[in-house]
Amino acid sequence: LSADRIQSLVDLGLDLNCPVGNGARKHSFESRYEELKSYVEKHGHIFVNKSEDKSLYQWIAQVKTSYNRLQVGKTPGIKLTAEKIRKLEELGFEFKSQKRKASVQYVDAGTSLYGQPKGRRRQTKETEPW
């Protein structure tokens, strides 16, 4: 398109900065950071549940992945500067992924009526998230 045609479209109100393709909207780091900050202020913690805000939850996962890729010298999906990392850490952000999972241990099952060991039994304990 020529510059005149582009200007005509802008004059008609066409937004040339709108998303293209499937309509997916890209958020800036700052807008996501502000969303996370609001979440922390509202809930008192930084651990966003997927069911509460799937989009913010996914962004957090992308930040963690980007940080881990940066640590091993790979290209991150999200450009993380020292300033961005500092801001996230001030909110309490933890870059190491820590998933809630059961911790399995084997403990003595005790002794039988005759004093013989019964063997070992499996004991499951929930670990703390994050």
Side-chain angles (χ1 to χ4, degrees):
L1 292 173
S2 70
D4 291 336
R5 288 190 149 234
I6 292 172
Q7 188 56 48
S8 296
L9 292 171
V10 170
D11 291 342
L12 290 172
L14 179 68
D15 181 7
L16 298 177
N17 295 320
C18 67
V20 180
N22 63 6
R25 193 172 68 147
K26 283 201 166 214
H27 295 275
S28 70
F29 178 88
E30 285 303 318
S31 69
R32 286 297 196 178
Y33 171 79
E34 290 300 324
E35 283 181 51
L36 184 58
K37 188 175 176 182
S38 296
Y39 181 91
V40 171
E41 289 169 358
K42 180 178 179 183
H43 297 280
H45 60 82
I46 199 162
F47 309 114
V48 178
N49 288 323
K50 190 175 186 177
S51 61
E52 290 176 326
D53 190 335
K54 183 178 179 180
S55 179
L56 187 58
Y57 176 89
Q58 289 173 335
W59 179 76
I60 289 170
Q62 290 172 344
V63 168
K64 289 181 178 189
T65 300
S66 294
Y67 179 83
N68 291 332
R69 290 182 61 83
L70 196 60
Q71 297 303 305
V72 295
K74 294 184 179 178
T75 304
I78 297 174
K79 185 177 179 184
L80 293 174
T81 62
E83 176 67 16
K84 289 177 181 177
I85 292 170
R86 183 192 60 74
K87 285 175 73 171
L88 288 168
E89 285 175 338
E90 286 176 355
L91 281 181
F93 195 94
E94 294 181 19
F95 289 94
K96 298 292 180 189
S97 291
Q98 297 174 347
K99 296 182 180 180
R100 183 182 180 101
K101 52 185 160 184
S103 165
V104 176
Q105 251 181 326
Y106 289 91
V107 296
D108 285 335
T111 54
S112 69
L113 290 173
Y114 304 104
Q116 300 295 320
K118 287 185 178 178
R120 298 175 65 75
R121 67 180 171 84
R122 185 178 161 154
Q123 180 180 24
T124 305
K125 176 177 112 175
E126 288 290 320
T127 58
E128 289 300 314
W130 311 97

